Amino acid sequence: MSPTSQRELGSSGSPIEDELEDAFNRMVDEGTQRLHRSWREVLVTGFFGGTEVAMGVLAYLSVLAATGDQLLAGVAFSIGFLALLLGRSELFTEGFLIPITTVAAKRAGIGQLFAFWSGTLVANLAGGWVLMWLIMLAFPKLHEQTVESAGHFVTAPISAETVALSLLGGMAITLMTRMQHGTDAVFGKIAAAVAGAFLLAGLQMFHSILDSLLIFGALATGQAPFGYLDWLSWFGYVVVGNIIGGLGLVTLLRLLRSKDRIKEERAEAEADGSGD
């Protein structure tokens, strides 16, 4: 079907379907606000994001220690994603689809994107480290499970399997973001958060933030047979894999799907001077 006939058949007059038009507008509106935050706002929302994911890690470890069921523990971890969703905080790996779409639409600049990414990443890790230290202090019975769970990731050698798991981890979290912005229904957003948690934590995909918090918790126990340099070498390739998976397997395809609408948005941004 041609773009012209889509405009005629749809109620929005857009070159893409009405549902995609609504989702596109939500993403650009939200992304514009997020990328124009001050450094203070970026760091605070990122710090909260780290602490909220850590609460999901606490639920994950508690269920895993009590039941030994990895899939059930993955569902329990959804508490962290629900806190992110309802608390409006920020997770680094959620910052692919919406910010990239916003920059492509010329509603923000590349410099703002990299400031947003770097500030959120550092703040996520800092907030998560603090809360995992508190969790290990408060729940010594979880020490053994935390060290075991963290070791699964940090001691894994770079291989085709681990690289694929990091690519899938980036894809899964970005897909969750896409699903949440494809609907206005709160129930739908919650369902997407639970599904994302099941995939990431339940199937033990490699995720740079979630798994780092497990590793930080293990290091806080003083019983881990690995150190921060081991974490750093693991983190280096996993975060790259997450970025490639999130951008290449979801975000770029979504941009291609909305190419004509992005061209229109870019023209509007240039006309009203909102783009950088």
Side-chain angles (χ1 to χ4, degrees):
M1 186 174 291
S2 69
T4 300
S5 60
Q6 284 182 339
R7 289 182 188 276
E8 294 170 350
L9 292 173
S11 61
S12 65
S14 171
I16 56 178
E17 293 92 332
D18 291 342
E19 292 81 1
L20 290 179
E21 172 68 15
D22 292 340
F24 178 85
N25 288 331
R26 281 194 293 267
M27 286 192 289
V28 172
D29 289 345
E30 179 180 328
T32 301
Q33 295 179 47
R34 288 164 68 180
L35 290 181
H36 284 81
R37 287 172 178 162
S38 66
W39 270 107
R40 175 182 56 83
E41 293 169 326
V42 169
L43 293 175
V44 169
T45 54
F47 189 90
F48 276 128
T51 61
E52 288 165 359
V53 169
M55 295 304 290
V57 172
L58 171 60
Y60 169 87
L61 290 170
S62 299
V63 171
L64 190 57
T67 68
D69 191 322
Q70 186 70 43
L71 298 179
L72 185 60
V75 174
F77 173 73
S78 63
I79 290 172
F81 283 165
L82 290 173
L84 285 172
L85 172 67
L86 302 177
R88 309 297 296 176
S89 51
E90 202 74 62
L91 185 65
F92 168 69
T93 47
E94 283 189 304
F96 299 150
L97 177 63
I98 297 172
I100 289 290
T101 301
T102 304
V103 171
K106 283 198 171 183
R107 294 297 179 177
I110 293 293
Q112 290 169 299
L113 174 66
F114 283 106
F116 173 80
W117 275 351
S118 60
T120 301
L121 176 59
V122 170
N124 281 168
L125 294 174
W129 187 94
V130 169
L131 211 67
M132 289 307 299
W133 178 79
L134 286 174
I135 288 170
M136 292 300 102
L137 193 63
F139 296 95
K141 65 181 181 179
L142 294 179
H143 286 190
E144 182 179 353
Q145 182 63 64
T146 304
V147 172
E148 178 184 342
S149 296
H152 172 80
F153 298 101
V154 73
T155 61
I158 299 178
S159 65
E161 179 184 354
T162 55
V163 170
L165 285 168
S166 68
L167 292 171
L168 289 171
M171 178 184 179
I173 190 73
T174 308
L175 179 61
M176 183 187 78
T177 304
R178 179 184 172 184
M179 290 191 294
Q180 288 178 336
H181 285 81
T183 179
D184 282 325
V186 174
F187 178 79
K189 294 177 185 290
I190 291 173
V194 174
F198 177 83
L199 289 173
L200 279 171
L203 301 182
Q204 291 184 300
M205 293 180 182
F206 278 32
H207 186 268
S208 52
I209 304 300
L210 162 59
D211 303 335
S212 287
L213 301 198
L214 280 172
I215 296 166
F216 291 163
L219 291 169
T221 68
Q223 303 167 14
F226 45 81
Y228 282 101
L229 287 179
D230 298 305
W231 163 74
L232 191 60
S233 62
W234 171 89
F235 180 81
Y237 80 86
V238 172
V239 73
V240 171
N242 287 169
I243 292 171
I244 294 173
L247 295 182
L249 299 177
V250 180
T251 302
L252 293 182
L253 294 176
R254 183 59 182 267
L255 293 180
L256 182 62
R257 179 67 181 82
S258 305
K259 180 181 67 174
D260 294 330
R261 182 63 183 87
I262 289 173
K263 287 181 179 178
E264 291 185 352
E265 191 70 22
R266 288 169 67 91
E268 292 176 13
E270 291 172 351
D272 62 27
S274 68
D276 282 1

